[in-house]
Amino acid sequence: MYQIGVKALLKNDIISKIKLFKGLNMCAERIQRFLMAIVLTVTMVLFAQGEMMIAMILQTFVILMVVVWALTDFCPSLWFFGKVFGKCEQK
């Protein structure tokens, strides 16, 4: 019974965060840029702390995702965030 309550709380927490992002006028492209900046920051901190293997794995993942995006014009994170938050308005 306790596990059901925790799952419900987590689901409600995720839904509230999605509503918060939508309220801040966050869209797929902006969220993807923030996510990339956060991952690169975490990688930099891991390098500084000497956690080279984890940092190299994260850095390689980011590089591969950008290369896939450049070659195929398809970014999985933009696709996912576009489904959840919607695309940014064209200027």
Side-chain angles (χ1 to χ4, degrees):
M1 181 160 179
Y2 176 72
Q3 290 178 348
I4 294 171
V6 170
K7 287 180 182 179
L9 284 175
L10 288 174
K11 183 177 178 182
N12 289 337
D13 188 47
I14 291 170
I15 291 170
S16 67
K17 284 187 177 27
I18 289 172
K19 288 180 182 176
L20 173 68
F21 276 128
K22 286 184 177 181
L24 292 173
N25 198 20
M26 296 298 280
C27 54
E29 289 82 359
R30 286 183 182 170
I31 294 171
Q32 193 266 347
R33 288 183 210 131
F34 278 121
L35 179 66
M36 187 180 291
I38 290 167
V39 170
L40 291 174
T41 302
V42 167
T43 303
M44 185 174 60
V45 169
L46 288 170
F47 269 122
Q49 291 179 347
E51 297 290 337
M52 297 296 179
M53 185 58 71
I54 299 171
M56 291 283 284
I57 290 169
L58 279 174
Q59 189 73 29
T60 302
F61 175 75
V62 171
I63 291 168
L64 288 175
M65 293 300 289
V66 171
V67 168
V68 166
W69 188 13
L71 293 175
T72 65
D73 201 26
F74 172 73
C75 180
S77 62
L78 278 176
W79 173 80
F80 175 75
F81 292 140
K83 296 282 185 192
V84 176
F85 299 103
K87 296 189 180 285
C88 292
E89 295 177 11
Q90 298 295 324
K91 292 181 181 179

